[in-house]
Amino acid sequence: MQFQGKLDEAASELTHCILDSEVHEWTRLAAYARQHRGKVYFDQGNLDGALADFTAAVFLREKDGADADELDSSLLAVAVVESHIAARGTSPLRA
């Protein structure tokens, strides 16, 4: 759905995946869903939501013992969103 531009629907479906995986303590799936919902939020311009999901993905992947590549992708996503948030704070066009 995300690639079709249906961002609201993608976020909703991923939220259901997150809730279900967290209830069942499926840590790897929860991390995957958080990472992808973070991407959807980023595409929507919801930087705070994206940062929360990417940060949660880092925590969940660490807890699950994920390999370095998976962990690095989440850490990179956190860094990118933080840089966008910092730039937003210094922009002269800030609303």
Side-chain angles (χ1 to χ4, degrees):
M1 286 186 234
Q2 178 185 4
F3 296 117
Q4 296 173 348
K6 299 176 183 177
L7 300 178
D8 290 337
E9 293 93 336
S12 178
E13 288 294 322
L14 287 163
T15 297
H16 291 295
C17 291
I18 290 165
L19 294 173
D20 197 35
S21 62
E22 289 178 351
V23 164
H24 295 290
E25 298 182 9
W26 298 329
T27 307
R28 183 175 296 252
L29 181 58
Y32 182 83
R34 288 272 188 176
Q35 182 80 14
H36 283 277
R37 189 176 69 176
K39 292 176 187 179
V40 171
Y41 284 161
F42 184 83
D43 287 348
Q44 289 176 319
N46 179 354
L47 298 179
D48 295 327
L51 182 59
D53 274 349
F54 291 143
T55 302
V58 169
F59 171 76
L60 291 165
R61 286 181 167 167
E62 285 177 336
K63 179 180 176 182
D64 190 54
D67 65 32
D69 288 340
E70 287 179 315
L71 193 54
D72 286 346
S73 73
S74 295
L75 289 168
L76 179 61
V78 167
V80 167
V81 173
E82 287 177 339
S83 72
H84 280 270
I85 289 172
R88 174 180 70 185
T90 61
S91 172
L93 300 176
R94 185 175 170 207

